[in-house]
Amino acid sequence: MLCQRGSIAQGICDNVLFLIAGYDSEQLNKTVLPLILAHTPAGASSKQLTHYSQLMKLDRTFQQYDLGWLGNWRKYGQLRPPSYQLNNVKVPVALFYSNNDWLAPGEDVNVLSKNLPNVIGKFRVPLKRFNHLDFMWAIDVKRLLYDDVIKVLRKYNR
Ligand SMILES: *[C@@H]1O[C@H](CO)[C@@H](O)[C@H](O)[C@H]1NC(C)=O
């Protein structure tokens, strides 16, 4: 109810979302906000969020879930969680990112791209305030992003 169009609280609805995903109001279609909020946040396990925060605490180490020494020993046969072997990712990878996605900042995308052996391109969305949610819902998402995604897919589709 609070997120209905025209409701005085609608601004709060936008902002709670933007708080976790990066701020940008210009690409959000406020008419569809109630619909978006009916499906957001989508389900995520608490373990997923814990893993995410474990990775945030580490300095750019991309590793499996930390179960503690004993749990790691049982599950992985070692005291620390093993790192993901990104050098085994042989498929061509195109990285699409933006400047205002707080869940995937450009510096992290750079590190990822250095560790993946077959990056065919890094594409930054040409809009400074394009955020995490805009990848799905931006008003101009086709022009800003999807047209390029399709181009890359066509090029590598055999
Ligand atoms: C916003 O969404 C509504 C409902 O889908 C649509 O009619 C309208 O054209 C959209 N506005 C923009 C600026 O895309």
Side-chain angles (χ1 to χ4, degrees), residues 118-131:
N118 197 7
V119 172
I120 56 165
K122 250 180 7 185
F123 305 86
R124 188 167 51 78
V125 177
L127 184 72
K128 209 163 169 232
R129 289 168 71 194
F130 199 89
N131 73 17

Side-chain angles (χ1 to χ4, degrees), residues 29-32 139:
N29 183 341
K30 294 207 162 59
T31 310
V32 287
I139 291 167

Side-chain angles (χ1 to χ4, degrees), residues 81-142:
S83 291
Y84 292 112
Q85 299 300 303
L86 293 178
N87 52 323
N88 287 339
V89 180
K90 305 297 187 205
V91 292
V93 177
L95 298 167
F96 292 86
Y97 68 106
S98 70
N99 276 346
N100 191 36
D101 181 352
W102 293 359
L103 296 178
E107 311 87 77
D108 289 357
V109 175
N110 284 337
V111 172
L112 180 64
S113 113
K114 279 188 193 118
N115 289 311
L116 286 169
N118 197 7
V119 172
I120 56 165
K122 250 180 7 185
F123 305 86
R124 188 167 51 78
V125 177
L127 184 72
K128 209 163 169 232
R129 289 168 71 194
F130 199 89
N131 73 17
H132 192 71
L133 302 173
D134 287 327
F135 282 86
M136 199 138 140
W137 289 307
I139 291 167
D140 301 313
V141 72
K142 181 180 181 296

Side-chain angles (χ1 to χ4, degrees), residues 51-88:
H51 189 202
Y52 196 70
S53 52
Q54 286 177 356
L55 295 175
M56 284 169 73
K57 277 167 62 184
L58 297 164
D59 191 29
R60 306 241 151 90
T61 303
F62 191 35
Q63 66 180 30
Q64 295 187 43
Y65 194 91
D66 192 346
L67 297 152
W69 285 11
L70 192 58
N72 290 338
W73 184 257
R74 280 206 199 104
K75 186 170 169 86
Y76 310 120
Q78 55 189 65
L79 295 177
R80 294 191 179 278
S83 291
Y84 292 112
Q85 299 300 303
L86 293 178
N87 52 323
N88 287 339

